[in-house]
Amino acid sequence: MTPTIVELEAFTLRGIARTFNAKTRHQISQLWNESVPRLFALPGHIPRALYGACIDMIEGDGPDCGFVYMVAIAVDPSAPSIDGITTVSVPAGRYAMFTYDGPIVGFPQFIDTVWREHFPSTGLIKRDAPDFERYDERFSAETGGGVVDYYIPIV
């Protein structure tokens, strides 16, 4: 699988973030269920797509390592924030975009395969910025399937 290299402008995400690890990442679907209704009530939201973003990595071994994942929507950065909502700036730049098309239950395996096989084979270098998945009109929440683009920031 070869990624498409794209240039993105900077944008701002707001949403609900939680920390996960290998044993708890199956709970990300619960975060989506809890978050989505709240996202459309955020001031200044831009309802073209929803995002799942890995906004921080917790390095190490054992139960203390993991990642901070956020379910989010793009917003006007000048809009007021709300308590309990996380704001993240996604910087402009180059991204390697991998595209998934299928049932969402297969998406975690797709992400594992991208990081284990496909991204390393490109020779690209990840830069320090959030990686994220984008769910637009090609994805159906009703059927739980469709197209999801996954973006990895690159040097």
Side-chain angles (χ1 to χ4, degrees), residues 3 11 36 41 52 55 61 63 74 88-89 99 111 114 141 155:
F11 61 99
V36 170
I55 60 173
D61 292 322
V88 172
S89 296
T99 300
I111 294 295
V114 165
V155 175

Side-chain angles (χ1 to χ4, degrees), residues 7-148:
E7 288 280 340
L8 297 180
E9 294 184 18
F11 61 99
T12 301
L13 293 175
R14 284 203 178 121
I16 300 170
R18 293 209 182 115
T19 301
F20 296 93
N21 60 34
K23 290 183 180 178
T24 62
R25 82 178 198 172
H26 68 278
Q27 297 171 356
I28 289 174
S29 61
Q30 288 176 306
L31 180 60
W32 275 92
N33 292 336
E34 295 168 19
S35 301
V36 170
R38 294 181 63 193
L39 298 178
F40 291 103
L42 292 176
H45 73 275
I46 303 168
R48 288 187 211 119
L50 294 175
Y51 297 82
C54 181
I55 60 173
D56 196 14
M57 295 298 293
I58 303 161
E59 303 292 331
D61 292 322
D64 293 333
C65 69
F67 58 97
V68 179
Y69 181 86
M70 179 171 90
V71 175
I73 195 165
V75 297
D76 177 338
S78 66
S81 189
I82 297 173
D83 287 343
I85 298 296
T86 300
T87 301
V88 172
S89 296
V90 178
R94 292 178 58 204
Y95 289 80
M97 182 182 76
F98 293 87
T99 300
Y100 175 78
D101 188 358
I104 200 63
V105 296
F107 192 71
Q109 182 180 355
F110 167 78
I111 294 295
D112 289 346
T113 303
V114 165
W115 283 107
R116 201 172 32 248
E117 298 172 21
H118 300 301
F119 187 73
S121 72
T122 66
L124 298 169
I125 299 169
K126 183 184 183 307
R127 67 184 157 90
D128 187 22
D131 53 283
F132 60 91
E133 63 242 29
R134 184 175 192 272
Y135 299 82
D136 60 21
E137 70 280 351
R138 299 170 298 159
F139 181 80
S140 169
E142 287 81 31
T143 66
V147 176
V148 179

